[in-house]
Amino acid sequence: MVKAYSLDELRRVFRNAAGNNCKKLFEKRDNGIRFIFNRQSFNKIGCDKSINNSVVRGFTVIDHFKVAANVKELFDNSEVVAQWNKKKKARTETYYLCRCKIRDDCYAWMRVTTWGKDEGYIDMYLSKDGE
C-alpha cells in the first residue's frame, strides 16, 4: 500500500531535503549568475504555479519535489538558454532561463532572477520537452 502525501507534507520533505542549500551561493561564472539560495527560492519551487507547470507537462507532484530536492546539482549541470533584463522602480533584475537534461524524456527548467550583490532566487518546473 502506497501512502498518499499531502502537499504540505511534500513541501516539508522538500525543504528538509534541499535545506542544506539554504544560504549557499549558486553561481555560474561564465554567465554572471550569482545568488544566495534562500527562503524565496524554497517558496518559488514549492508554489502552486511551479508545481502545476510540472503537472500539466505530464509529471506528478511527487516527481516535481523529488527532482527539486537536487536543485543545486541541477543548477550546476544546467546550461543557460536565455538571458534578459527588466527595469523595475528600485532595481534592474536579470533573468536567466536554464535547462538541465535529467534523462531523455525529462528536463528541469529553472528561471533564475538576480539583482544587487548575491540577491536572487530560483524557480523550477519539469518538462518532457528540451526546447
Side-chain angles (χ1 to χ4, degrees):
M1 183 173 187
V2 176
K3 180 181 178 190
Y5 292 94
S6 72
L7 190 53
D8 286 340
E9 288 173 312
L10 290 170
R11 285 180 173 133
R12 188 182 75 256
V13 169
F14 161 65
R15 284 182 184 272
N16 290 337
N20 61 340
N21 294 315
C22 197
K23 299 184 181 178
K24 285 194 179 173
L25 179 67
F26 279 42
E27 182 174 30
K28 284 194 173 295
R29 290 184 181 166
D30 294 348
N31 301 92
I33 302 174
R34 182 180 171 96
F35 68 99
I36 303 293
F37 190 87
N38 57 27
R39 180 182 292 173
Q40 192 171 11
S41 294
F42 279 120
N43 292 343
K44 288 288 187 177
I45 292 169
C47 76
D48 291 343
K49 183 178 178 181
S50 295
I51 296 165
N52 289 336
N53 278 335
S54 293
V55 170
V56 299
R57 287 170 172 81
F59 296 90
T60 67
V61 175
I62 292 173
D63 293 335
H64 176 86
F65 283 110
K66 277 185 180 177
V67 171
N70 299 308
V71 66
K72 175 75 167 111
E73 181 182 337
L74 296 170
F75 174 78
D76 289 344
N77 293 317
S78 70
E79 63 179 313
V80 177
V81 296
Q83 176 182 343
W84 65 97
N85 294 315
K86 186 174 184 182
K87 182 92 170 131
K88 301 251 178 151
K89 281 186 179 183
R91 64 183 181 229
T92 299
E93 294 182 346
T94 303
Y95 299 90
Y96 304 89
L97 184 60
C98 303
R99 171 185 62 206
C100 181
K101 183 176 182 178
I102 298 168
R103 58 181 188 266
D104 283 343
D105 65 341
C106 183
Y107 294 84
W109 286 90
M110 294 160 278
R111 187 171 100 168
V112 177
T113 305
T114 64
W115 65 91
K117 183 177 175 6
D118 298 342
E119 294 181 80
Y121 59 86
I122 189 169
D123 191 1
M124 187 215 81
Y125 67 89
L126 300 176
S127 177
K128 293 182 180 185
D129 186 6
E131 298 298 322

